[in-house]
Protein backbone atom coordinates (compact mmCIF):
# COMPACT_ATOMS: atom_id res chain seq x y z
CA UNK A 1 0.00 0.00 0.00
CA UNK A 2 1.38 3.45 -0.93
CA UNK A 3 2.12 5.76 1.98
CA UNK A 4 2.48 2.76 4.28
CA UNK A 5 5.91 1.17 5.04
CA UNK A 6 6.26 -2.53 4.36
CA UNK A 7 5.07 -4.59 7.26
CA UNK A 8 2.88 -1.82 8.68
CA UNK A 9 -0.90 -2.23 8.61
CA UNK A 10 -3.05 0.32 6.70
CA UNK A 11 -4.31 1.58 10.05
CA UNK A 12 -0.99 3.35 10.52
CA UNK A 13 -0.68 4.70 7.00
CA UNK A 14 0.61 8.25 6.60
CA UNK A 15 -1.95 8.94 3.88
CA UNK A 16 -4.39 10.51 6.32
CA UNK A 17 -1.75 12.94 7.54
CA UNK A 18 -0.96 14.42 4.12
CA UNK A 19 -3.75 17.07 4.01
CA UNK A 20 -2.93 18.24 7.53
CA UNK A 21 0.79 18.32 6.78
CA UNK A 22 0.20 20.36 3.64
CA UNK A 23 -1.97 22.79 5.61
CA UNK A 24 0.69 23.26 8.29
CA UNK A 25 3.45 23.80 5.76
CA UNK A 26 1.32 26.19 3.72
CA UNK A 27 2.19 24.44 0.49
CA UNK A 28 1.37 21.38 -1.55
CA UNK A 29 3.37 18.26 -0.81
CA UNK A 30 3.26 17.21 -4.45
CA UNK A 31 5.62 14.20 -4.52
CA UNK A 32 4.29 12.86 -1.24
CA UNK A 33 0.69 13.39 -2.34
CA UNK A 34 1.29 11.64 -5.64
CA UNK A 35 2.80 8.65 -3.85
CA UNK A 36 -0.17 8.51 -1.50
CA UNK A 37 -2.69 8.80 -4.32
CA UNK A 38 -3.98 12.16 -3.15
CA UNK A 39 -4.66 15.19 -5.37
CA UNK A 40 -4.69 18.50 -3.54
CA UNK A 41 -6.53 21.30 -5.34
CA UNK A 42 -4.98 24.71 -4.86
CA UNK A 43 -7.46 27.48 -4.09
CA UNK A 44 -7.01 30.09 -6.79
CA UNK A 45 -10.29 32.00 -7.19
CA UNK A 46 -11.10 34.80 -6.75
CA UNK A 47 -7.53 36.01 -7.31
CA UNK A 48 -7.66 38.68 -4.59
CA UNK A 49 -8.93 36.24 -1.93
CA UNK A 50 -8.79 32.59 -3.09
CA UNK A 51 -11.49 30.45 -1.50
CA UNK A 52 -12.17 27.81 -4.20
CA UNK A 53 -10.28 25.91 -6.85
CA UNK A 54 -11.35 27.00 -10.33
CA UNK A 55 -9.32 26.40 -13.50
CA UNK A 56 -11.55 25.83 -16.51
CA UNK A 57 -8.85 26.62 -19.08
CA UNK A 58 -6.51 23.86 -17.88
CA UNK A 59 -8.89 21.21 -16.51
CA UNK A 60 -11.90 21.17 -18.83
CA UNK A 61 -11.87 19.97 -22.47
CA UNK A 62 -11.73 22.87 -24.91
CA UNK A 63 -15.08 22.12 -26.57
CA UNK A 64 -16.85 22.37 -23.19
CA UNK A 65 -15.15 25.48 -21.86
CA UNK A 66 -17.53 28.04 -23.39
CA UNK A 67 -20.57 26.26 -21.95
CA UNK A 68 -18.98 25.94 -18.52
CA UNK A 69 -17.98 29.62 -18.54
CA UNK A 70 -21.62 30.46 -19.27
CA UNK A 71 -22.74 28.19 -16.43
CA UNK A 72 -20.23 29.94 -14.19
CA UNK A 73 -21.73 33.27 -15.24
CA UNK A 74 -25.10 32.04 -13.93
CA UNK A 75 -23.43 31.24 -10.61
CA UNK A 76 -22.03 34.76 -10.51
CA UNK A 77 -25.47 35.94 -11.63
CA UNK A 78 -27.25 34.42 -8.64
CA UNK A 79 -24.59 35.98 -6.39
CA UNK A 80 -25.37 39.36 -7.97
CA UNK A 81 -29.14 38.82 -7.75
CA UNK A 82 -29.05 37.92 -4.06
CA UNK A 83 -26.63 40.74 -3.28
CA UNK A 84 -28.87 43.27 -5.01
CA UNK A 85 -31.86 41.71 -3.26
CA UNK A 86 -30.23 42.47 0.10
CA UNK A 87 -29.50 46.06 -0.98
CA UNK A 88 -33.05 46.68 -2.21
CA UNK A 89 -34.69 45.09 0.83
CA UNK A 90 -32.37 47.08 3.11
CA UNK A 91 -33.57 50.25 1.40
CA UNK A 92 -37.19 49.21 1.91
CA UNK A 93 -36.50 48.37 5.55
CA UNK A 94 -34.93 51.79 6.17
CA UNK A 95 -38.02 53.39 4.65
CA UNK A 96 -40.29 51.51 7.02
CA UNK A 97 -41.05 48.13 5.43
CA UNK A 98 -40.02 46.18 8.54
CA UNK A 99 -36.94 44.28 9.67
CA UNK A 100 -38.35 40.77 9.07
CA UNK A 101 -38.00 40.99 5.29
CA UNK A 102 -34.37 42.10 5.75
CA UNK A 103 -33.57 39.02 7.82
CA UNK A 104 -35.16 36.83 5.14
CA UNK A 105 -33.08 38.52 2.43
CA UNK A 106 -29.92 37.85 4.46
CA UNK A 107 -30.93 34.19 4.86
CA UNK A 108 -31.47 33.86 1.11
CA UNK A 109 -27.97 35.21 0.49
CA UNK A 110 -26.18 33.16 3.16
CA UNK A 111 -27.88 29.93 2.08
CA UNK A 112 -28.12 30.63 -1.64
CA UNK A 113 -24.54 31.48 -2.59
CA UNK A 114 -22.69 28.50 -1.05
CA UNK A 115 -25.67 26.28 -1.85
CA UNK A 116 -25.52 27.18 -5.54
CA UNK A 117 -21.80 26.45 -5.68
CA UNK A 118 -21.95 23.16 -3.79
CA UNK A 119 -25.20 21.76 -5.18
CA UNK A 120 -25.07 22.54 -8.89
CA UNK A 121 -22.02 24.45 -10.10
CA UNK A 122 -19.38 22.24 -8.52
CA UNK A 123 -21.09 19.03 -9.74
CA UNK A 124 -21.19 20.43 -13.28
CA UNK A 125 -17.53 21.43 -13.08
CA UNK A 126 -16.60 17.93 -11.92
CA UNK A 127 -18.87 16.36 -14.56
CA UNK A 128 -17.08 18.21 -17.36
CA UNK A 129 -13.64 17.69 -15.88
CA UNK A 130 -13.95 14.01 -14.92
CA UNK A 131 -16.68 12.99 -17.38
CA UNK A 132 -18.84 11.80 -14.48
CA UNK A 133 -22.43 10.79 -15.24
CA UNK A 134 -23.48 10.90 -11.58
CA UNK A 135 -22.36 14.52 -11.28
CA UNK A 136 -24.53 15.35 -14.28
CA UNK A 137 -27.49 13.90 -12.38
CA UNK A 138 -26.81 16.08 -9.34
CA UNK A 139 -26.47 19.12 -11.58
CA UNK A 140 -29.77 18.59 -13.38
CA UNK A 141 -31.69 18.03 -10.16
CA UNK A 142 -30.43 21.08 -8.29
CA UNK A 143 -30.15 23.37 -11.31
CA UNK A 144 -33.87 22.96 -11.88
CA UNK A 145 -34.38 23.90 -8.24
CA UNK A 146 -32.19 26.95 -8.89
CA UNK A 147 -34.32 27.98 -11.88
CA UNK A 148 -37.52 27.48 -9.89
CA UNK A 149 -36.14 29.63 -7.08
CA UNK A 150 -35.26 32.43 -9.52
CA UNK A 151 -38.75 32.31 -11.05
CA UNK A 152 -40.35 32.60 -7.60
CA UNK A 153 -38.01 35.47 -6.75
CA UNK A 154 -38.82 37.25 -10.04
CA UNK A 155 -42.56 37.00 -9.37
CA UNK A 156 -42.38 37.51 -5.57
CA UNK A 157 -45.78 36.04 -4.71
CA UNK A 158 -47.31 37.33 -1.44
CA UNK A 159 -46.31 34.30 0.63
CA UNK A 160 -43.87 35.67 3.20
CA UNK A 161 -44.46 39.22 4.45
CA UNK A 162 -46.30 40.21 1.28
CA UNK A 163 -43.39 38.93 -0.79
CA UNK A 164 -41.26 42.00 -0.11
CA UNK A 165 -38.26 39.90 0.89
CA UNK A 166 -37.79 39.29 -2.87
CA UNK A 167 -37.25 41.99 -5.49
CA UNK A 168 -39.92 40.56 -7.77
CA UNK A 169 -42.46 42.26 -10.00
CA UNK A 170 -45.39 42.01 -7.57
CA UNK A 171 -43.42 43.41 -4.64
CA UNK A 172 -41.92 46.13 -6.88
CA UNK A 173 -45.40 47.32 -7.91
CA UNK A 174 -46.47 47.30 -4.27
CA UNK A 175 -43.41 49.14 -2.96
CA UNK A 176 -43.05 51.79 -5.67
CA UNK A 177 -46.38 53.42 -4.81
CA UNK A 178 -45.28 54.29 -1.26
CA UNK A 179 -41.47 54.33 -1.57
CA UNK A 180 -40.35 55.30 -5.11
CA UNK A 181 -36.62 54.82 -4.47
CA UNK A 182 -37.11 51.34 -3.06
CA UNK A 183 -39.49 50.58 -5.92
CA UNK A 184 -36.81 51.43 -8.49
CA UNK A 185 -34.37 49.13 -6.68
CA UNK A 186 -36.99 46.38 -6.70
CA UNK A 187 -37.60 46.75 -10.43
CA UNK A 188 -33.86 46.46 -11.09
CA UNK A 189 -33.81 43.30 -8.97
CA UNK A 190 -36.73 41.94 -10.97
CA UNK A 191 -34.79 42.50 -14.18
CA UNK A 192 -31.73 40.72 -12.78
CA UNK A 193 -33.74 37.68 -11.73
CA UNK A 194 -35.43 37.54 -15.16
CA UNK A 195 -32.07 37.63 -16.91
CA UNK A 196 -30.80 34.90 -14.60
CA UNK A 197 -33.78 32.70 -15.47
CA UNK A 198 -33.32 33.14 -19.22
CA UNK A 199 -29.59 32.37 -19.23
CA UNK A 200 -30.03 29.46 -16.80
CA UNK A 201 -32.68 27.84 -19.00
CA UNK A 202 -30.31 28.12 -21.98
CA UNK A 203 -27.48 26.53 -19.97
CA UNK A 204 -29.76 23.70 -18.83
CA UNK A 205 -30.82 23.03 -22.41
CA UNK A 206 -27.23 23.00 -23.72
CA UNK A 207 -25.93 20.75 -20.96
CA UNK A 208 -28.82 18.35 -21.51
CA UNK A 209 -28.13 18.21 -25.24
CA UNK A 210 -24.49 17.36 -24.55
CA UNK A 211 -25.55 14.85 -21.90
CA UNK A 212 -27.87 13.01 -24.28
CA UNK A 213 -25.51 13.23 -27.23
CA UNK A 214 -22.53 11.84 -25.31
CA UNK A 215 -24.39 8.76 -24.08
CA UNK A 216 -24.23 9.74 -20.44
CA UNK A 217 -27.93 9.01 -19.92
CA UNK A 218 -27.36 5.29 -20.40
CA UNK A 219 -24.32 5.45 -18.13
CA UNK A 220 -26.39 7.00 -15.36
CA UNK A 221 -28.96 4.21 -15.64
CA UNK A 222 -26.24 1.57 -15.49
CA UNK A 223 -24.58 3.18 -12.46
CA UNK A 224 -27.94 3.52 -10.72
CA UNK A 225 -28.73 -0.16 -11.41
CA UNK A 226 -25.29 -1.18 -10.17
CA UNK A 227 -25.84 0.83 -6.98
CA UNK A 228 -29.25 -0.79 -6.45
CA UNK A 229 -27.70 -4.25 -6.79
CA UNK A 230 -25.05 -3.36 -4.21
CA UNK A 231 -27.73 -2.14 -1.82
CA UNK A 232 -29.69 -5.37 -2.10
CA UNK A 233 -26.58 -7.42 -1.44
Amino acid sequence: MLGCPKGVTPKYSLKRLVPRLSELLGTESSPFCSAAGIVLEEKNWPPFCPIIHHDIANEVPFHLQKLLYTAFSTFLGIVLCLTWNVIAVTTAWIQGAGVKIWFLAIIYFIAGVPGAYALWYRPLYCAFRKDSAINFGWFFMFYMVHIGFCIVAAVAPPIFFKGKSFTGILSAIDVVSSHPLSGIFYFIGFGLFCLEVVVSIWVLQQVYMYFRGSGKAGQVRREAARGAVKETM
Side-chain angles (χ1 to χ4, degrees):
M1 176 178 177
L2 294 177
C4 180
K6 185 177 181 181
V8 179
T9 62
K11 178 180 179 182
Y12 303 103
S13 171
L14 298 177
K15 184 175 180 179
R16 295 175 298 172
L17 300 179
V18 174
R20 180 58 177 164
L21 177 62
S22 179
E23 179 183 348
L24 292 174
L25 295 176
T27 184
E28 289 193 31
S29 305
S30 299
F32 193 42
C33 293
S34 298
I38 295 177
V39 178
L40 296 179
E41 295 183 337
E42 181 183 359
K43 295 177 180 179
N44 58 357
W45 196 91
F48 55 87
C49 182
I51 56 177
I52 63 173
H53 175 78
H54 193 257
D55 192 4
I56 295 177
N58 295 319
E59 295 182 342
V60 176
F62 179 77
H63 65 285
L64 296 174
Q65 289 181 10
K66 182 178 179 180
L67 179 55
L68 189 55
Y69 276 123
T70 307
F72 185 57
S73 73
T74 64
F75 170 69
L76 297 180
I78 193 62
V79 174
L80 175 61
C81 288
L82 293 176
T83 301
W84 186 263
N85 191 71
V86 171
I87 294 172
V89 172
T90 301
T91 305
W93 167 40
I94 292 173
Q95 295 184 338
V99 69
K100 292 181 179 179
I101 60 172
W102 183 80
F103 277 116
L104 281 173
I106 293 295
I107 292 172
Y108 300 150
F109 180 84
I110 293 176
V113 172
Y117 177 78
L119 295 177
W120 59 261
Y121 179 70
R122 184 64 181 175
L124 181 63
Y125 186 92
C126 292
F128 280 170
R129 186 179 67 172
K130 301 177 181 178
D131 202 29
S132 170
I134 292 297
N135 280 320
F136 275 109
W138 283 108
F139 165 75
F140 287 128
M141 180 170 62
F142 287 108
Y143 203 61
M144 286 189 288
V145 173
H146 157 73
I147 293 174
F149 172 82
C150 291
I151 292 174
V152 171
V155 177
I159 300 175
F160 303 110
F161 308 105
K162 296 184 180 180
K164 292 180 183 178
S165 58
F166 280 127
T167 55
I169 184 62
L170 296 181
S171 58
I173 294 173
D174 186 25
V175 170
V176 74
S177 59
S178 55
H179 305 294
L181 178 61
S182 296
I184 293 172
F185 277 42
Y186 271 65
F187 275 111
I188 294 174
F190 163 68
L192 291 175
F193 275 116
C194 287
L195 181 61
E196 178 73 8
V197 169
V198 172
V199 179
S200 296
I201 291 175
W202 183 87
V203 168
L204 181 65
Q205 179 188 26
Q206 295 301 310
V207 174
Y208 182 71
M209 290 173 60
Y210 169 76
F211 177 77
R212 288 294 301 271
S214 61
K216 294 293 185 299
Q219 185 179 343
V220 168
R221 287 193 292 269
R222 289 192 295 271
E223 290 183 5
R226 192 180 303 116
V229 172
K230 289 182 180 179
E231 288 294 330
T232 57
M233 296 179 62

